[in-house]
Amino acid sequence: MSSELKDMNGKPINKIAMMALLLIGSFVIILMQTSLGTALPSLMTAFNVDSAGVQWLTTIFLMVNGIMVPVSAFLNTRVPTKYLYLSALLIYIIGTVIAVVTPTNAFWLLMVARALQAVAAGIVMPLMQVVALALFGEESRGKALGMVGLVIGMAPALGPTLSGWILDQDHTFLGLTIAGNWRSIFMLVLPIAIVVLLISFIYFKNILPTRDVKLNVRSLIESTFGFGLILFGSAMVSDHGWMSFTWVILPMLLGLLVIAEFAWHQSRMKVPFLDLSVFKNRQFTITTILVSLTFIAMIGVEMVLPIYMQRVRGLSPLNSGLTLLPGALMMGALSPLAGYLYDKHGARRLVIFGFSLVFIGTVPFYKLTETTPTIFITTLYMLRMAGIALTMMPLTSSAMGVLRQNQVAQGTAVNNTIRQVAASLGTAVLSSIMQSVINDHTPTSSLKIKDPLEYAQQMLNAGLSGFHASFLCAAGFVLVAFILAFFLHKGKVTAAEPEEEKA
Amino acid sequence: MILLILFLFVALAFISLMFLDKQTYVIGGVIGFIGIILSVGLITANMANHFGMETKVTTHKSMMYSATNSKGYGVLLYQPVGTSGKENVYIYRKHEQDQKPTIVKPDLTMTTNRQEIAGNQAYRVIKDTRYVYKNDFWKLMFSIAGNDGELKKRQVTYQLPQNWIALTTQQAKNLQAKMTPKTDEEKAAVAQQQEALAELAQNDPDQAGIKQVQQIKATLNI
């Protein structure tokens, strides 16, 4: 099989080397998505900005990343694979170098660096998926995406732990001293990215057919503003609440209008910028909804649990990261296995089993107390992540499976876009539910003077009820997904129109 | 142990559903799932309601010594936490030779109170209510959680005999100002009092202590 695989110029491809380069490069790029979370406090002091200001480093990444994903459909059909990947790596390296050298009086420069990193992440996330599918045949589609799942599931989960470890103290590794400050977070990934870039010059080949499509500027502007505004609105929910007209309602409404116009426009184009007709396929639609729910369930709890462990339990960012680390590793280990099993059985059985595990692993968090043994948190989290590993990539494989070969780039872009938007909205829902329940239960500040102990107790209870509410909501999302999973096809699905392609 | 059991059931359900044939996979899957739900249920019950545990009360009584350099009588200092005055920070000395006094701040699991007792020695009584496992079976099941002996609540009672006095830190400050003689007559009166006390202390030290405590109470009007 591997000896038959040729690139677009008819030269043989080293499949393993190419896949490895793709996965490692993407891993360091996607790692940046979450790795600044634990570093925000130290960045606040270094750059002398407030917490709302420093939050922008995360928001800008999320927005730019989300804007890039729909554009990826165009990029993947227009730009040869090799140059697309090399430019993504180069953009990432430039962004990271800027971050390393940013003087502490130029916060905007760090924002630019983050935006560049996000552009790279927005390119590689879909690229990784499309290339993996092209490298491996239809019969090992699950295996290919299983490896992709290892990266997109593990990198965001490892990010906070890794930076927590870096920030904890100075480390000496192979005679090199890694200083315990935020610059090291960027410095550590830099050599890896450079090495991957250099080797990719030789081993990365153009594997996807390209067509000379013209960039439709109207679509580009519409998708950028539409998705950008929706992502912006959902990022602002945690600070301003759902009811804030200027920060949340207005941008979301505008975003929705632009997207509606975008969709209408796409349906009338001969060669759409983002082919939304893939939604006409019922299986694709169901699997995309399920992937989105899985993503909400994963990212939402990934965000809420560290807050609980740091605020209620007083754990350091490193230790709270370590509590969740086994779960992330579990997901990494199971993801390729899930891919292998998808190739054997199809998605349905895996997904139903997976969602029941996620559900069983989420409900107990509703009973979290201030003394819950951390080992139980780790265990339940592992159970959840095992379930997520069994659902996410088999679902994506299944979504890709129902599409024709020439629709894969489009399907990937659509699938990933919806997933990103759903994740931001889901996180916004969970964090705002948590915050509003906490606010409702927060005791009056006069009690703090009258009886500080009673005040502390009520604050603790308020925090716990907030966490309980958001975990209950997460469990609700999973339950919906579990029920929807029964509408999946039995067995492995393949495109309905293979005949005309063979003919 | 419970984690191992959970793992085995997950593995059973997983392997049955993924690798076994039609008939057997249903059996394995059902058993596996019942097992998973039961073990997660037990974990939840333990982490939320201390399932498999009971409370055990232990009491520890230790002597305590005056927080100040008072001679013949003892002082327990305290400072109310917040304006409601439900809980106090207490200051005393653990050992007679301690240079620095011990300061005990209350927390969410601790409550304190004071009690008058007979005799001439002050005590600090700690009553701890802890969660312990009911039997070895549950201990084996959940021991990995490390919650055996987890403190539920702590009740601290400060037992003061008649030759001890409990003062707020503010009262102790006022006392010093009020006790310092200003005029010559006052100085003479104090000297006379000291002499009488010294004599009494020789014959009946406890009575001397009680007398001093009464004097302080009179001075501070408490």
Side-chain angles (χ1 to χ4, degrees):
Chain A
M1 180 70 211
S2 63
S3 55
E4 292 166 23
L5 204 68
K6 301 259 164 72
D7 74 356
M8 289 302 130
N9 304 319
K11 294 203 186 97
I13 290 175
N14 187 336
K15 196 161 82 171
I16 307 295
M18 197 167 150
M19 192 71 187
L21 284 170
L22 184 65
L23 292 181
I24 298 170
S26 309
F27 189 88
V28 288
I29 294 176
I30 298 174
L31 196 61
M32 280 298 127
Q33 191 186 333
T34 53
S35 59
L36 273 199
T38 34
L40 293 183
S42 49
L43 285 167
M44 274 163 70
T45 13
F47 284 87
N48 196 19
V49 282
D50 59 1
S51 69
V54 83
Q55 205 65 48
W56 274 102
L57 293 173
T58 326
T59 311
I60 191 117
F61 192 100
L62 214 78
M63 278 175 63
V64 175
N65 184 34
I67 289 167
M68 282 310 291
V69 175
V71 182
S72 73
F74 166 77
L75 292 175
N76 280 328
T77 28
R78 183 67 185 79
V79 185
T81 333
K82 180 174 184 171
Y83 302 116
L84 189 57
Y85 187 57
L86 290 179
S87 9
L89 280 169
L90 201 62
I91 293 172
Y92 174 76
I93 290 170
I94 294 171
T96 311
V97 169
I98 293 178
V100 171
V101 299
T102 299
T104 50
N105 57 7
F107 186 67
W108 62 272
L109 200 60
L110 195 61
M111 294 279 280
V112 172
R114 287 291 284 169
L116 288 174
Q117 290 186 325
V119 168
I123 295 173
V124 294
M125 258 194 241
L127 180 76
M128 185 168 47
Q129 196 162 316
V130 180
V131 171
L133 286 171
L135 276 176
F136 292 82
E138 202 153 276
E139 61 285 352
S140 16
R141 190 192 296 135
K143 229 192 292 174
L145 287 185
M147 284 183 271
V148 172
L150 192 150
V151 172
I152 62 167
M154 245 170 94
L158 281 180
T161 318
L162 185 65
S163 44
W165 177 78
I166 291 173
L167 291 175
D168 201 41
Q169 60 183 93
D170 290 1
H171 296 276
T172 310
F173 184 67
L174 297 174
L176 290 166
T177 303
I178 305 163
N181 63 38
W182 61 270
R183 280 183 210 273
S184 302
I185 297 173
F186 296 107
M187 242 178 312
L188 203 66
V189 289
L190 203 51
I192 307 173
I194 292 172
V195 169
V196 171
L197 178 77
L198 293 177
I199 304 177
S200 296
F201 266 110
I202 306 160
Y203 282 103
F204 214 83
K205 297 278 155 54
N206 292 325
I207 190 159
L208 303 170
T210 49
R211 276 174 294 143
D212 201 5
V213 269
K214 255 185 82 183
L215 175 64
N216 186 292
V217 180
R218 179 174 160 194
S219 302
L220 177 67
I221 293 174
E222 281 175 358
S223 99
T224 303
F225 277 94
F227 291 115
L229 283 168
I230 292 181
L231 292 171
F232 175 80
S234 45
M236 289 299 116
V237 169
S238 61
D239 279 349
H240 301 273
W242 287 98
M243 283 303 139
S244 160
F245 183 77
T246 25
W247 293 99
V248 178
I249 297 178
L250 188 67
M252 280 206 179
L253 216 60
L254 275 178
L256 276 177
L257 284 176
V258 176
I259 292 300
E261 143 64 24
F262 173 76
W264 182 76
H265 179 210
Q266 297 304 308
S267 70
R268 293 166 51 99
M269 285 169 78
K270 252 201 193 118
V271 186
F273 175 76
L274 188 66
D275 188 2
L276 297 172
S277 71
V278 285
F279 279 124
K280 282 185 188 145
N281 189 316
R282 187 167 149 260
Q283 278 299 305
F284 180 83
T285 310
I286 294 182
T287 41
T288 302
I289 295 173
L290 284 174
V291 170
S292 305
L293 287 170
T294 317
F295 235 66
I296 297 175
M298 179 175 87
I299 294 191
V301 173
E302 227 166 62
M303 173 204 70
V304 176
L305 264 184
I307 304 180
Y308 158 79
M309 283 188 290
Q310 288 169 33
R311 277 207 211 147
V312 177
R313 306 300 294 270
L315 291 182
S316 69
L318 175 63
N319 281 330
S320 94
L322 285 177
T323 312
L324 303 187
L325 186 64
L329 295 178
M330 181 74 164
M331 166 149 192
L334 272 186
S335 197
L337 179 64
Y340 163 79
L341 288 168
Y342 168 81
D343 290 334
K344 238 177 115 188
H345 299 292
R348 198 170 188 259
R349 224 194 267 180
L350 272 170
V351 169
I352 292 174
F353 179 59
F355 278 131
S356 29
L357 284 191
V358 182
F359 185 70
I360 297 172
T362 306
V363 172
F365 284 122
Y366 182 61
K367 286 285 179 187
L368 221 52
T369 66
E370 70 269 27
T371 54
T372 299
T374 40
I375 182 101
F376 286 160
I377 297 176
T378 305
T379 307
L380 292 167
Y381 190 68
M382 276 174 85
L383 196 64
R384 294 189 85 240
M385 289 306 258
I388 285 170
L390 295 182
T391 51
M392 196 160 66
M393 279 303 126
L395 279 170
T396 312
S397 309
S398 183
M400 296 303 121
V402 293
L403 300 178
R404 274 170 282 132
Q405 194 64 45
N406 58 356
Q407 282 182 310
V408 166
Q410 292 286 345
T412 299
V414 172
N415 187 282
N416 284 13
T417 304
I418 303 285
R419 193 175 76 187
Q420 294 296 91
V421 172
S424 320
L425 282 174
T427 327
V429 169
L430 289 184
S431 66
S432 63
I433 285 180
M434 178 173 81
Q435 203 51 54
S436 79
V437 172
I438 291 179
N439 290 347
D440 283 354
H441 289 76
T442 299
T444 52
S445 53
S446 67
L447 187 64
K448 195 174 180 176
I449 303 160
K450 235 172 99 189
D451 193 345
L453 284 172
E454 181 64 27
Y455 178 80
Q457 182 68 55
Q458 286 189 21
M459 271 309 267
L460 183 67
N461 292 344
L464 283 174
S465 348
F467 291 122
H468 291 167
S470 72
F471 286 125
L472 197 65
C473 177
F477 279 124
V478 181
L479 193 63
V480 172
F482 177 72
I483 295 165
L484 267 180
F486 285 91
F487 290 95
L488 284 172
H489 264 305
K490 276 189 183 161
K492 209 172 145 181
V493 263
T494 37
E497 309 92 333
E499 292 89 6
E500 52 178 62
E501 290 210 332
K502 272 178 198 158
Chain B
M1 194 66 187
I2 188 77
L3 301 189
L4 186 67
I5 294 171
L6 173 64
F7 173 77
L8 288 178
F9 278 120
V10 172
L12 174 70
F14 184 64
I15 291 167
S16 323
L17 289 174
M18 296 302 146
F19 298 102
L20 294 186
D21 292 334
K22 269 254 163 192
Q23 282 80 28
T24 34
Y25 95 76
V26 178
I27 304 168
V30 168
I31 296 175
F33 257 99
I34 293 174
I36 294 171
I37 291 172
L38 281 180
S39 10
V40 171
L42 284 177
I43 289 178
T44 314
N46 181 265
M47 71 184 212
N49 305 323
H50 295 91
F51 175 79
M53 305 178 99
E54 58 191 3
T55 53
K56 200 176 126 191
V57 180
T58 51
T59 327
H60 179 75
K61 189 172 178 178
S62 57
M63 288 197 232
M64 61 174 187
Y65 301 91
S66 180
T68 63
N69 299 321
S70 60
K71 292 236 161 56
Y73 67 100
V75 177
L76 174 67
L77 288 175
Y78 67 94
Q79 186 159 21
V81 178
T83 51
S84 75
K86 272 189 207 153
E87 271 305 329
N88 301 307
V89 174
Y90 280 97
I91 306 171
Y92 63 93
R93 278 189 302 176
K94 261 188 184 156
H95 310 285
E96 208 166 4
Q97 64 276 19
D98 280 356
Q99 291 295 314
K100 275 190 183 153
T102 307
I103 300 169
V104 183
K105 290 178 187 160
D107 55 41
L108 293 181
T109 49
M110 189 162 90
T111 49
T112 54
N113 65 341
R114 293 193 300 271
Q115 199 179 28
E116 284 180 14
I117 54 162
N120 59 5
Q121 177 59 53
Y123 295 98
R124 186 168 179 266
V125 182
I126 303 171
K127 197 170 115 188
D128 280 346
T129 310
R130 288 176 185 279
Y131 289 109
V132 290
Y133 280 100
K134 270 182 194 155
N135 50 42
D136 285 346
F137 175 73
W138 292 122
K139 194 172 179 170
L140 178 72
M141 277 298 222
F142 295 117
S143 59
I144 191 151
N147 56 1
D148 198 6
E150 183 192 313
L151 186 65
K152 186 187 179 193
K153 60 174 194 216
R154 164 170 287 180
Q155 165 76 49
V156 183
T157 308
Y158 293 92
Q159 297 181 326
L160 305 180
Q162 276 186 297
N163 58 351
W164 269 67
I165 183 164
L167 293 175
T168 64
T169 44
Q170 191 55 49
Q171 285 171 335
K173 248 183 232 160
N174 293 347
L175 182 66
Q176 240 173 359
K178 282 187 180 168
M179 294 285 255
T180 318
K182 288 178 195 85
T183 58
D184 284 347
E185 287 119 78
E186 272 177 9
K187 275 181 189 159
V190 169
Q192 208 176 356
Q193 258 178 10
Q194 296 282 353
E195 224 169 278
L197 264 176
E199 200 180 320
L200 185 59
Q202 294 244 311
N203 305 328
D204 191 350
D206 289 357
Q207 204 50 47
I210 294 169
K211 207 145 192 188
Q212 291 189 70
V213 168
Q214 281 164 351
Q215 246 171 36
I216 294 170
K217 280 184 178 161
T219 322
L220 288 171
N221 226 344
I222 49 174

